[in-house]
Amino acid sequence: MAALLDLDNFTVELLTPRGWVRPVNEVSLRLDEGEALGLVGESGCGKTMLSLGLMALAPHGARRAGRAWLEISQNGISGRMNLAGLMPEEMRKLRGREIAMIFQEPMTALDPVMRIGAQIEEAIRAHEPSLTRAEIRRRAIESLERASVPEPAQRARQFPHQLSGGLRQRAMIAMALAMRPRVLIADEPTTALDVTVQKQILELLMRLRDELHLTLLFITHDLGVAGQIANRIAVMYAGRIVETGPTHEVLTNPRHPYTEGLLRAAPRLQRGKLVPIPGAVPRLDELPPGCAFAPRCPYHRAECDAAVPDLRLASPEHRARCILVA
Ligand code: SF4
């Protein structure tokens, strides 16, 4: 299957008072057309910075390096572009049309003083300025309908604060999908919602993925949620991918001690007592010399500190960045 998004040593660097740090460190990943990849890790592991880096929305002054190839198809012309090398203006043309993003808390992404419908219309107008007002309005309402927003014409006239959390997230999804992008990045889209609404949003994303042939990068700190929606899982720690493989293999036979720890701490996957991973994600300017997980790892031994381990093959499609993988 063709890769729609193909990351090759993709890196994002930020300048801090103690020098440059890498919240995203030489990440190589591919998203095949139509698949859902779950990107999992605790807060501060680099998941969100990876997505912001791809969308050219990383904080001012951030440096991007490596390659992030996106297959594009516009006006009958197809090819691939390296997102890491695009200027903001070039990226603006692709955002929404080829690749779009939804966020954890729609209130921060939606304009609080603008009606929902007007915000979706603005996104459509930016890409299709030749459409009439009526046509743009019709497409905005269709987008809300596609995202299962009840009474879409009426909701389009409301402001974000007049909608429930679940409806706001649906409105965000409608806005992201208004231009029918092929790749959707969903950054913790269910974390701020209660369990019932979470389930509805996950079901909606799965339905839209099938209906619109979307390729989905689903970011979450919860392996249980990733297990419900993703075909493959990539686990991120301290800016690097530490394990990647088919969902079933990663959940039933994790090969990196960090993934093991995430599984023991996942409420949806653990029937017994939840066991949090001891310690905390290291500061990026204080990473240990070898394996970044070493200070928290129950299997740590001296050789783990010699160098950052490579991603080793555990099975034909399953890799882990740990010296224990033979
Ligand atoms: S390389 Fe060593 S410290 Fe790192 S995860 Fe593997 S066993 Fe633990």
Side-chain angles (χ1 to χ4, degrees):
M1 199 179 277
L4 208 49
L5 186 62
D6 192 359
L7 310 190
D8 175 17
N9 285 321
F10 182 62
T11 297
V12 179
E13 294 183 310
L14 296 177
L15 186 59
T16 71
R18 294 172 72 178
W20 288 94
V21 295
R22 290 185 165 187
V24 180
N25 200 347
E26 298 183 348
V27 168
S28 295
L29 272 182
R30 55 181 279 155
L31 263 93
D32 290 333
E33 195 166 357
E35 82 164 337
L37 175 70
L39 183 62
V40 184
E42 295 163 286
S43 297
C45 282
K47 311 179 303 295
T48 295
M49 197 54 72
L50 172 73
S51 51
L52 294 176
L54 288 175
M55 299 293 286
L57 295 172
H60 183 68
R63 292 197 303 216
R64 297 183 298 162
R67 287 153 298 277
W69 295 110
L70 177 69
E71 282 292 331
I72 58 160
S73 170
Q74 281 187 18
N75 307 323
I77 302 168
S78 55
R80 63 182 200 161
M81 291 183 118
N82 177 15
L83 301 184
L86 292 185
M87 302 303 287
E89 187 48 43
E90 294 171 305
M91 194 60 215
R92 251 193 294 279
K93 288 185 193 150
L94 296 186
R95 248 190 331 252
R97 183 186 281 279
E98 297 286 338
I99 182 166
M101 184 167 173
I102 52 177
F103 301 86
Q104 175 178 343
E105 182 33 86
M107 270 312 259
T108 55
L110 293 169
D111 186 334
V113 295
M114 206 171 168
R115 294 178 201 277
I116 294 292
Q119 299 193 47
I120 301 173
E121 286 170 26
E122 195 174 74
I124 298 171
R125 193 174 298 112
H127 289 285
E128 302 267 15
S130 59
L131 289 181
T132 63
R133 251 178 104 175
E135 178 65 8
I136 290 174
R137 181 155 303 163
R138 187 182 64 73
R139 283 176 52 170
I141 291 171
E142 264 176 21
S143 297
L144 287 167
E145 207 166 11
R146 201 182 298 124
S148 300
V149 172
E151 300 167 320
Q154 189 185 323
R155 298 296 183 180
R157 290 194 291 275
Q158 293 185 310
F159 292 95
H161 72 270
Q162 293 175 294
L163 304 186
S164 66
L167 274 182
R168 274 201 294 271
Q169 194 53 281
R170 286 173 193 273
M172 264 306 295
I173 293 170
M175 191 153 88
L177 298 183
M179 291 307 300
R180 305 284 291 265
R182 296 205 292 166
V183 179
L184 177 68
I185 301 175
D187 186 6
E188 304 264 11
T190 60
T191 303
L193 305 171
D194 68 47
V195 181
T196 319
V197 183
Q198 269 186 19
K199 188 165 174 282
Q200 292 167 358
I201 296 291
L202 284 180
E203 285 168 356
L204 171 66
L205 285 172
M206 286 192 270
R207 176 172 67 73
L208 290 172
R209 191 191 75 169
D210 292 343
E211 279 178 17
L212 306 178
H213 308 293
L214 271 177
T215 300
L216 191 61
L217 177 60
F218 190 92
I219 296 175
T220 174
H221 64 278
D222 188 335
L223 260 180
V225 171
Q228 287 177 46
I229 198 164
N231 317 104
R232 279 195 304 129
I233 285 181
V235 180
M236 198 166 180
Y237 188 75
R240 292 182 191 271
I241 300 300
V242 296
E243 180 155 6
T244 173
T247 300
H248 181 70
E249 270 193 49
V250 171
L251 296 186
T252 55
N253 186 22
R255 300 303 303 273
H256 195 284
Y258 180 54
T259 315
E260 269 183 30
L262 289 176
L263 274 167
R264 279 196 294 268
R268 283 177 186 74
L269 299 170
Q270 259 323 309
R271 293 227 169 79
K273 197 170 156 225
L274 298 184
V275 184
I277 304 172
V281 177
R283 287 174 55 121
L284 291 170
D285 55 4
E286 288 176 1
L287 290 179
C291 172
F293 190 59
R296 307 172 77 187
C297 180
Y299 310 109
H300 170 254
R301 53 179 83 167
E303 58 189 298
C304 304
D305 303 329
V308 175
D310 291 330
L311 271 172
R312 298 178 178 202
L313 218 51
S315 77
E317 294 185 57
H318 189 176
R319 288 167 190 265
R321 194 181 290 282
C322 175
I323 62 161
L324 300 181
V325 177

